[in-house]
Amino acid sequence: MSKRKEPVRSTQVDEESSSDEDTDMLDVDFEWFDPQPDVDFHGLKTLLRQLLDVDAQLLDMSALADLILSQPLLGSTVKVDGNETDPYAFLSVINLHEHREKPVIKALTEYLVRQASTNPALAAAAKLLQSSEGVEVGLILTERLINIPAEVVPPMYRMLLEEIAWAIEEKEPYNFTHYLILSKTYQEVASKLSVGEDRPQKKKKKQDSEEIFYFHPEDEVLHRHAVAHGNYTHIKQEAEGQSDAKRAFQDLGIKPQGHMILLEAPRGEIAVKALEDFLLPS
């Protein structure tokens, strides 16, 4: 059964041009569902691979998807054509301490510690992930297909907080001290494509940008309430020219990075309210 259904305006871009005239707005009825083990495995695994990008090769995505689906009363998927279809987006939380002995969580936690340790801004996250006393970290995983609007996100966070509260009442192990949100960002980089005779060379070649762009615009709102946040470089290196395959209707390529946001659990309600105010203004 659907948790919630409402129209959300989605953007559809004409791939032949990025001008304003070629952008269409569509009203789409998105539905929020509980994760369905019999339906969502392949769609969820695809979204997890998208979230972790090239580093998904280092982890067991099947086991991670199975773990998320083993707690169907926690988290949400977003669909358009009913419950029997693949999810367009999802959000869930995993208790890293409760599942610490599972091989996929052991490997994932080691990965997160390693990556957080590469950025001083994430030192607090690295320390918490290695602590075993008085710390309960809920790892929030969320991803959506391209062009799915950010407006689908606040309801998923709101429902997650409600589900965690209900679970705590039932003595379930979700009384978190912190939330660690795994996300991703990107930088624009100069194209590595060779200039052929059929492609005129520009007079000035754009250089790599130091500016950080967000795949998930809600991350910038969550930063205001975070203990720590920062980027990390993926362990696996992309093949030469791979950034050109990710060009978004422009001359520059895209270099993805991992991103973490650490929140104290008591700040969760305030952070979600800020998301609602930003993405769902009345």
Side-chain angles (χ1 to χ4, degrees), residues 13-19 23 146-147 186-191 193 199 206 213-215 241-256:
V13 180
D14 184 343
E15 296 188 6
E16 297 300 320
S17 174
S18 59
S19 65
T23 301
I146 190 170
N147 282 350
Y186 69 92
Q187 289 178 291
E188 293 180 333
V189 296
S191 173
L193 288 175
R199 184 173 179 178
K206 295 182 179 179
F213 298 90
Y214 293 87
F215 286 108
Q242 184 65 26
S243 61
D244 285 303
K246 298 179 180 179
R247 289 192 296 169
F249 319 118
Q250 57 186 3
D251 292 329
L252 296 178
I254 288 176
K255 179 184 178 183

Side-chain angles (χ1 to χ4, degrees), residues 122-140:
L122 293 171
K127 182 178 180 180
L128 277 175
L129 289 168
Q130 297 176 87
S131 177
S132 59
E133 295 184 4
V135 174
E136 295 282 346
V137 178
L139 177 65
I140 292 180

Side-chain angles (χ1 to χ4, degrees), residues 7-282:
V8 176
R9 179 158 287 187
S10 178
T11 303
Q12 185 175 44
V13 180
D14 184 343
E15 296 188 6
E16 297 300 320
S17 174
S18 59
S19 65
D20 292 341
E21 291 82 1
D22 296 310
T23 301
D24 296 324
M25 301 302 293
L26 303 175
D27 287 327
V28 179
D29 285 334
F30 288 104
E31 294 182 88
W32 286 257
F33 292 94
D34 292 324
Q36 304 293 316
D38 296 334
V39 176
D40 295 334
F41 173 78
H42 293 291
L44 185 58
K45 185 177 175 180
T46 296
L47 289 170
L48 287 169
R49 283 174 172 165
Q50 179 178 302
L51 174 62
L52 287 157
D53 206 88
V54 290
D55 281 355
Q57 305 169 54
L58 303 174
L59 300 163
D60 188 342
M61 293 294 98
S62 293
L64 188 56
D66 280 335
L67 180 56
I68 292 171
L69 292 171
S70 73
Q71 43 186 36
L73 299 182
L74 205 62
S76 302
T77 61
V78 178
K79 302 182 179 183
V80 173
D81 298 317
N83 193 22
E84 299 301 313
T85 59
D86 286 339
Y88 284 37
F90 86 97
L91 184 146
S92 190
V93 64
I94 294 173
N95 188 325
L96 294 180
H97 181 75
E98 179 71 14
H99 299 291
R100 64 190 181 280
E101 296 303 323
K102 290 183 170 62
V104 63
I105 295 304
K106 187 175 294 188
L108 179 57
T109 301
E110 290 173 355
Y111 169 82
L112 293 173
V113 170
R114 174 178 174 177
Q115 298 305 82
S117 299
T118 64
N119 185 345
L122 293 171
K127 182 178 180 180
L128 277 175
L129 289 168
Q130 297 176 87
S131 177
S132 59
E133 295 184 4
V135 174
E136 295 282 346
V137 178
L139 177 65
I140 292 180
L141 300 171
T142 181
E143 183 59 299
R144 55 188 180 268
L145 297 180
I146 190 170
N147 282 350
I148 297 299
E151 285 84 350
V152 306
V153 173
M156 290 197 289
Y157 272 105
R158 174 57 61 193
M159 287 184 283
L160 181 67
L161 290 186
E162 293 172 353
E163 290 159 353
I164 289 173
W166 296 335
I168 292 173
E169 289 179 3
E170 297 297 322
K171 309 300 182 183
E172 297 288 336
Y174 297 106
N175 194 9
F176 299 118
T177 60
H178 297 79
Y179 296 114
L180 181 63
I181 302 167
L182 193 59
S183 189
K184 57 184 185 176
T185 62
Y186 69 92
Q187 289 178 291
E188 293 180 333
V189 296
S191 173
K192 295 183 182 300
L193 288 175
S194 59
V195 181
E197 294 180 357
D198 58 342
R199 184 173 179 178
Q201 187 172 3
K202 292 181 173 60
K203 292 182 179 179
K204 292 185 179 180
K205 188 175 182 179
K206 295 182 179 179
Q207 301 299 313
D208 293 1
S209 170
E210 295 298 323
E211 184 177 359
I212 300 298
F213 298 90
Y214 293 87
F215 286 108
H216 299 163
E218 63 270 18
D219 289 353
E220 293 186 90
V221 178
L222 294 172
H223 288 173
R224 303 171 196 163
H225 307 279
V227 175
H229 60 85
N231 298 311
Y232 61 86
T233 301
H234 291 130
I235 296 173
K236 296 286 287 185
Q237 296 298 311
E238 291 186 328
E240 184 74 14
Q242 184 65 26
S243 61
D244 285 303
K246 298 179 180 179
R247 289 192 296 169
F249 319 118
Q250 57 186 3
D251 292 329
L252 296 178
I254 288 176
K255 179 184 178 183
Q257 299 173 304
H259 189 69
M260 296 185 207
I261 305 171
L262 181 66
L263 294 172
E264 293 177 337
R267 299 284 296 176
E269 174 64 35
I270 297 173
V272 171
K273 181 62 168 61
L275 285 182
E276 292 169 334
D277 292 343
F278 178 68
L279 293 172
L280 303 173
S282 56

